[in-house]
Amino acid sequence: MDDDKVFKALGDPTRRKLLDLLYENNGQTLNQLIDGLAMTRQSATQHLDILQAANLITTVKRGREKLHFINPVPLHDVYERWVRKFELQRLTMLYELKKELEGDNE
Amino acid sequence: MDDDKVFKALGDPTRRKLLDLLYENNGQTLNQLIDGLAMTRQSATQHLDILQAANLITTVKRGREKLHFINPVPLHDVYERWVRKFELQRLTMLYELKKELEGDNE
DNA sequence: TTGATATGCAGGCAAATACCTGCCTATTAT
DNA sequence: ATAATAGGCAGGTATTTGCCTGCATATCAA
């Protein structure tokens, strides 16, 4: 997985919206997806290209149409490498440490 | 949680590096964090401000020092809202659908 | 075949981003 | 008090980004 491509792809609200639209109805065409957005077809295409480069979607051509599908694998990788390791830390531990340090100068 | 701030904060490799550094050694000062990077103190400060605005870190002043701590809560929220729901979809299901559609025009 | 539909490709532009330099303030140590 | 240390604040700039317009190509339907 390319960490950077995935995070950058997720860093834009339009691209997250596209993933949401595909989650609701997988396999949509470009024109179908545009209906859920407020921008030109060309702009949406650029976003979809970025999602595909990050491997967050795959496409299948059917005649003159291009169907888009979510690939959940990179999202799971994000979870494994970025979320799970932080879940072991308890916020309460941080609070206690914070209070202790604040006590030093008050 | 502000989705957009969190995702944008995570969208930059330097900021992810900062979180990694804090994960290895929580509660570091600005100057300590700079040692792990290749940029000026001022630039690092801007990144840390963005992380704090996204609630991914909290800070505590101790004398002239400023200590930085990870807050794992937004990361967990990302998991809840973005990863878990996609985990229910099996990649194999997508593959089957993809094969079926490819069969339409081949 | 001819028109309509679905998408691809190229370039332009304004705003956001990630750096930087330079200078100022606050705290600590001698 | 004075110097060193830790950090804050204010621009300046080159690059990246997200959006657009305009035109080209490919497929389908009548």
Side-chain angles (χ1 to χ4, degrees):
Chain A
M1 175 185 64
D2 187 331
D3 260 33
D4 199 49
K5 283 187 182 175
V6 174
F7 278 109
K8 283 202 171 135
L10 294 174
D12 181 86
T14 301
R15 291 192 284 272
R16 293 197 301 277
K17 173 83 176 179
L18 281 166
L19 290 179
D20 265 337
L21 290 171
L22 288 177
Y23 180 78
E24 289 169 17
N25 192 4
N26 210 8
Q28 293 186 68
T29 67
L30 174 54
N31 273 318
Q32 287 175 320
L33 289 169
I34 294 166
D35 282 341
L37 305 176
M39 65 179 54
T40 63
R41 173 179 57 80
Q42 290 87 336
S43 298
T45 299
Q46 292 177 335
H47 285 300
L48 289 167
D49 287 345
I50 290 170
L51 288 171
Q52 186 161 19
N55 201 29
L56 283 161
I57 64 172
T58 21
T59 60
V60 181
K61 288 203 82 171
R62 184 177 56 181
R64 62 182 162 182
E65 294 179 325
K66 191 176 182 181
L67 310 182
H68 300 77
F69 299 91
I70 296 181
N71 177 13
V73 172
L75 280 169
H76 186 76
D77 291 345
V78 164
Y79 167 65
E80 286 292 337
R81 290 170 70 157
W82 274 89
V83 180
R84 219 172 70 164
K85 83 176 189 185
F86 289 113
E87 282 180 344
L88 301 175
Q89 294 187 302
R90 296 301 314 144
L91 183 61
T92 51
M93 289 174 61
L94 294 178
Y95 264 114
E96 286 171 25
L97 182 52
K98 185 174 174 179
K99 290 297 176 199
E100 183 191 322
L101 289 161
E102 282 173 338
D104 285 353
N105 61 345
E106 277 177 22
Chain B
M1 176 187 62
D2 186 331
D3 259 35
D4 200 48
K5 283 188 182 175
V6 174
F7 278 109
K8 282 202 172 136
L10 294 174
D12 181 87
T14 301
R15 291 193 282 272
R16 292 197 302 277
K17 173 82 176 179
L18 282 165
L19 291 178
D20 265 337
L21 289 171
L22 288 177
Y23 180 77
E24 289 168 17
N25 192 4
N26 210 8
Q28 293 186 68
T29 67
L30 175 54
N31 275 316
Q32 287 174 319
L33 290 169
I34 294 166
D35 282 341
L37 305 177
M39 65 177 54
T40 63
R41 173 179 57 81
Q42 289 88 336
S43 297
T45 299
Q46 290 177 333
H47 285 301
L48 290 166
D49 287 346
I50 290 169
L51 288 171
Q52 186 162 20
N55 202 28
L56 284 161
I57 64 173
T58 21
T59 60
V60 181
K61 289 202 81 170
R62 184 176 56 181
R64 62 180 162 183
E65 294 177 325
K66 191 176 183 181
L67 309 181
H68 300 77
F69 299 90
I70 296 180
N71 178 13
V73 172
L75 281 169
H76 186 76
D77 291 345
V78 164
Y79 168 65
E80 286 292 337
R81 289 171 71 156
W82 276 89
V83 180
R84 221 173 69 166
K85 84 176 188 185
F86 289 113
E87 281 178 345
L88 302 175
Q89 294 186 300
R90 298 301 315 145
L91 183 60
T92 52
M93 288 174 59
L94 295 177
Y95 263 114
E96 285 170 28
L97 183 52
K98 184 173 174 179
K99 290 296 176 199
E100 184 191 320
L101 290 161
E102 282 172 340
D104 284 352
N105 61 346
E106 276 176 24

